[in-house]
């Protein structure tokens, strides 16, 4: 500390930095987590360390406006609902879903070998399949 009553600014700089803009080697005090070279160029400590390590600065990101990012392709066809396929009533739609589930369950059991995997599937879904068969007309 100085005897004249001035506040200490911390330790004096010990390392020489190279300004990426003008190539001047300098030692400077920290200014808001960065340093300013004698020619007035301010760089963050990250940029100074990266330039000292690799000799290049990171490429700045360019923000692309939202309208440019969107890729305009052909329009999607409208989604078909079960009502468009002829199943207008909710009970018909539920019956169709149950029939498709039973078909998939029976097909899966037919494909599985008579081993542990078939026993696991049958044990997990057999009761549900029985109840579904009773519900179906």
């Amino acid at each position: 500390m100085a005897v004249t009553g001035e506040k200490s600014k911390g330790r004096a700089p010990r390392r020489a930095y190279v300004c990426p803009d003008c190539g001047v080697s300098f030692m400077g005090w920290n200014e808001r987590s960065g340093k300013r070279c004698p020619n007035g160029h301010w760089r963050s400590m990250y940029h100074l360390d990266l330039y000292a390590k690799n000799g290049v600065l990171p490429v700045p990101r360019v923000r692309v406006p939202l309208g440019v990012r969107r890729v305009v392709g052909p329009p999607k066809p409208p989604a078909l609902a079960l009502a468009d396929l002829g199943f207008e009533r909710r009970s018909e739609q539920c019956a169709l879903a149950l029939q498709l589930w039973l078909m998939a369950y029976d097909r899966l059991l037919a494909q599985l070998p008579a081993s542990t995997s078939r026993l696991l599937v049958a044990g997990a879904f057999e009761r549900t399949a029985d109840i579904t068969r009773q519900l179906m007309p």
Side-chain angles (χ1 to χ4, degrees):
M1 286 212 335
V3 181
T4 59
E6 294 181 17
K7 288 187 178 180
S8 171
K9 294 184 180 180
R11 288 193 299 191
R14 297 179 180 195
R15 180 174 155 203
Y17 297 94
V18 177
C19 178
D21 297 322
C22 56
V24 173
S25 179
F26 67 98
M27 295 174 76
W29 297 95
N30 283 344
E31 289 183 13
R32 290 201 170 221
S33 70
K35 296 202 182 273
R36 188 173 303 277
C37 81
N39 293 333
H41 303 118
W42 181 89
R43 286 292 177 171
S44 68
M45 294 302 296
Y46 170 76
H47 286 153
L48 289 173
D49 290 337
L50 189 71
Y51 187 76
K53 181 179 178 184
N54 300 332
V56 292
L57 289 175
V59 178
R61 292 187 201 172
V62 178
R63 295 193 79 172
V64 180
L66 286 176
V68 178
R69 283 188 215 165
R70 185 174 179 182
V71 176
V72 178
K76 283 186 175 180
L80 291 176
L82 288 175
D84 298 333
L85 299 174
F87 302 98
E88 283 118 18
R89 294 174 38 197
R90 184 77 173 160
S91 61
E92 295 172 347
Q93 295 173 1
C94 290
L96 176 67
L98 290 175
Q99 286 175 357
L100 292 174
W101 187 86
L102 274 178
M103 282 182 5
Y105 175 74
D106 292 337
R107 185 177 297 161
L108 176 65
L109 280 184
Q111 291 176 355
L112 289 175
S115 64
T116 308
S117 57
R118 177 184 266 181
L119 293 175
L120 285 173
V121 171
F125 296 110
E126 189 171 15
R127 181 78 176 129
T128 309
D130 292 340
I131 293 172
T132 306
R133 284 191 184 94
Q134 291 172 5
L135 290 175
M136 297 301 300

